[in-house]
Amino acid sequence: MNEVGGKESGPWWARYTDWTRFLPETVKDQSRRIGKLLLLGFALRVVLLPIFGSTDATTTAWIGTVLMAKGQLILSNDPPPIFYLHALIFEVFRPIYPAAIFNRFVSPVAFTPGVLFPRSILSEPGIGILLTLVKLPYLAFDLASAVLLLWLVREPKPAVRALKMWLFNPIVLYVTYFFGQFDIVAVFFVILAFYFNQRGRRHGALLSLSAAILFKDFAIVLVPFFLVLYLEQKRGLFVRSKEFLKVALATTVPLAAQFLLAVLQTPFYESANYALTGDLMNGFFGHTLYNRGVPGVPLIQGFLTFIGYSVKLTSFSPIPDVIYLFPLAYLMLFLAWILLRRKDAGKLWNATTILFLLIYAFNLFHPQWFLWAQPFFIVLVARQGKPVSALYSGIVAFFFAYILYFDAIAYTFPLTPLIPAAEFWPGPASVMRSVGLPSDLIVNLARTAFSGLCLAWALRLFRAEWLPSGIPDQ
Amino acid sequence: MRPPSGTMDLRLRLGVMILLVVIFPVAYVAAINALLPHESLAFQVGWTDQNFSGWTANASQGTSARLSVSNGTLSVISAGTVTAQQFVAADSPNLTLIDSRYHFLIVSIRAPAYNVAARIALWTGSGGPILVLVKTYADTGWHTEVIELRFFGLSITTPLRTIELGWLSVETPAPVATSVDFQGLSLAREVGEPS
């Protein structure tokens, strides 16, 4: 062992064994407890890696594999960068990539309806290894998000509580490891953006927001809120214009990158079945690219789908006057944000939480979209304790009722890698229908309660930030 | 009192970390992969037509078709120009004896260009034809299509009567003697699916 200047120094690799350097000073004294929690969380995730996965996970794997094997990009609603990440990982682990699945992904066999293809992959030999490879980057981003929460919450007790809630959160585990969706990658960068923002490092925050947008476009809805915060903290037209340009650049560069990747990469000619309609018709027919039954660019279609998912109010007049509730609520929240005095990182956190709550209350949303808000919910619950935790528990419970809308896709298909017969099992909503229960009514009522709880929490946060708290004490 | 942190201690710590973070997870995934029973997708064929005898030509008004069968491949060839949305096809004989448990229609298709879309329609004996496939392909290789017939409403109560294999022109008219080939036509069910 070397001794330098009277100080003991270990071998060169010694520093790599000290994992506590990833912890902030505030919680270093609890490193043993945190280490145990992280190890337990890691073990739980490893258990889930090879045994569950949805048709979305196998579709992601298909796109990544075709990109790796043929250098062709399958144009989907999701931005291309995530498929490059998967293609890279598949290439690195090519020697252990299951041959049976690889051959099916590159074979010229097509299914009608298309969902039969990813569904049948779930019961192929080697599915456990494929699912592990698909979720490997998710595991890294997920654990990094957990540690990031420790840095974001400065008070030691709530910080460890937030870590615990993240590691054993049913939504995080369901979306990332049961369903196998990649939203965790963008969510990590969103948390990172808020961390940098909290530390006053704007360039870091904007870069992280850019990375989040690159992997999933939803992060765009946060940009105007950051912009207003930054503009308010600056004085003078020139300085403000410079700030505006930086934010605009941070938004447009990832979008341009997505567009360029989609244009420059040779597209895979996925044949669309013109005999199908709506959501089921995807791919090329002749020279025209169809997305969910409509000719158009997938990325724009993705955005329009998001708007189309909003609850809307329609008039009964011959003029089709329509008001979309989510865009309306978004605009109102944004105006309230502009008018709010003394904005700071904490208020931005709360405003963003309200924004997500409004999305879930007023929009149809895919199960994986619910992950976007989890860090925001978890930090507030960890900090505020009881009344909010009850609200959050209710929201999580009703979420699992809400996803009955997706029936077998959300519940039974993901069991197929563990129990191959599950490929043929009906979903819980189908079972309810088959025994004579009004499943639609039940799900709709649960959905209504879910929206109610989301709005209740949004109102509570709104009151705390924007409204005076009633008559002041004498 | 704990022993001072030394090289052995560090080595042990590193070893334990590698064991927990790398070796155990890899062993677990390998064990799951080996122990859980999975079988490749396979179909049990209940009916097949390899020689296409008794099939007759059919076409939209204003055009015509001829059929050719060679080595188990049925070619549907246009005998006149086929303009946009016109089709030419081959109709199977009556298929009343088919067991409706075999609900996947499987066929391989080879088409010559983007402006020619393979087209498969079914007749159930009541109502008009049910279109189950209209597709264009990027290359002139064989493409196998697996079509779930139950998705299109076929069942024991509405069984399959006639299969129509053909093509239609897309975007630009297809000239005389344009041909789309079909082979390996079968009706099947997935191995392992509950009856």
Side-chain angles (χ1 to χ4, degrees), chain B residues 26-51:
Chain B
V26 169
Y28 164 73
V29 172
I32 285 287
N33 193 57
L35 294 176
L36 286 181
H38 287 109
E39 281 177 20
S40 271
L41 178 71
F43 290 98
Q44 183 191 342
V45 174
W47 172 88
T48 185
D49 192 346
Q50 299 294 338
N51 50 21

Side-chain angles (χ1 to χ4, degrees), chain A residues 393-416:
Chain A
S393 304
I395 287 175
V396 169
F398 281 120
F399 164 79
F400 284 104
Y402 162 79
I403 58 169
L404 286 170
Y405 277 141
F406 301 89
D407 206 16
I409 289 175
Y411 276 101
T412 52
F413 290 171
L415 299 170
T416 308

Side-chain angles (χ1 to χ4, degrees), chain A residues 245-287:
Chain A
L245 273 178
K246 279 182 198 167
V247 177
L249 214 63
T251 317
T252 48
V253 165
L255 293 176
Q258 289 171 4
F259 178 75
L260 282 176
L261 284 175
V263 168
L264 297 177
Q265 186 76 50
T266 312
F268 174 78
Y269 192 92
E270 182 192 3
S271 295
N273 189 347
Y274 201 72
L276 301 174
T277 51
D279 278 6
L280 298 166
M281 191 200 169
N282 291 298
F284 287 94
F285 185 68
H287 291 91

